[in-house]
Amino acid sequence: MKGRTMAGNDLGNLLGSLLGGAGGQNGAGAGGILGSLIGALAGGKGGGGGAGGSNPLGGLLEMLTRSGLTDQARSWVGTGENQAVSGAQIAEALPDDTLQKVAADAGVSPQEAADEIARSLPQAVDKLTPNGSLPEGASLEEIIRQQRL
């Protein structure tokens, strides 16, 4: 009962601390929304084990790339300047049911969730890829723990 939420909350807390505490007061901040998004993409269907070998961050970036946001996604992973993305672009790139779930989890509208993802995702990806490439092999939680200074 509590296990599923706990994992999402843990990931949200890790992402929030990675983003400089941007999750603060009500838990529905940047970390919580990104945690919910990545949790939904990691397999809301049946996985108790979570990310395992497949890194949902890579899947998310691939999804954005397929939606025409290749330059933006590459800029976040690379070591140069991060290109901005709009909430409308995020809403277009994500499956509607995923965005609806993330918004419901955070207690905000789908547009507010998309806007928050657009604000916080570039910074989160940038911090998770300090060497200019996606880390291989570890779970997303382990990657986040490794990047916290």
Side-chain angles (χ1 to χ4, degrees):
M1 171 183 226
K2 188 177 174 191
R4 199 181 321 159
T5 327
M6 176 77 153
N9 287 344
D10 286 348
L11 185 55
N13 289 339
L14 285 171
L15 285 164
S17 64
L18 184 75
L19 293 169
Q25 304 113 334
N26 61 8
I33 287 176
L34 289 180
S36 179
L37 171 63
I38 291 174
L41 293 174
K45 288 204 179 190
S54 83
N55 185 338
L57 180 61
L60 173 59
L61 293 175
E62 185 178 313
M63 188 182 299
L64 296 174
T65 297
R66 283 196 311 262
S67 297
L69 299 174
T70 304
D71 292 341
Q72 289 90 332
R74 280 192 189 143
S75 77
W76 307 339
V77 173
T79 56
E81 184 100 10
N82 290 336
Q83 291 185 21
V85 66
S86 71
Q89 289 171 305
I90 292 293
E92 181 76 24
L94 294 177
D96 191 51
D97 59 334
T98 300
L99 189 55
Q100 296 284 343
K101 180 186 181 333
V102 170
D105 287 352
V108 297
S109 74
Q111 187 57 56
E112 288 171 309
D115 289 344
E116 183 56 50
I117 292 166
R119 274 190 297 276
S120 55
L121 186 61
Q123 181 186 1
V125 172
D126 187 52
K127 288 189 177 206
L128 291 170
T129 57
N131 300 320
S133 63
L134 280 174
E136 302 271 331
S139 71
L140 186 60
E141 290 88 346
E142 186 58 34
I143 292 166
I144 292 169
R145 285 189 179 99
Q146 289 170 6
Q147 300 308 327
R148 289 176 64 197
L149 301 174

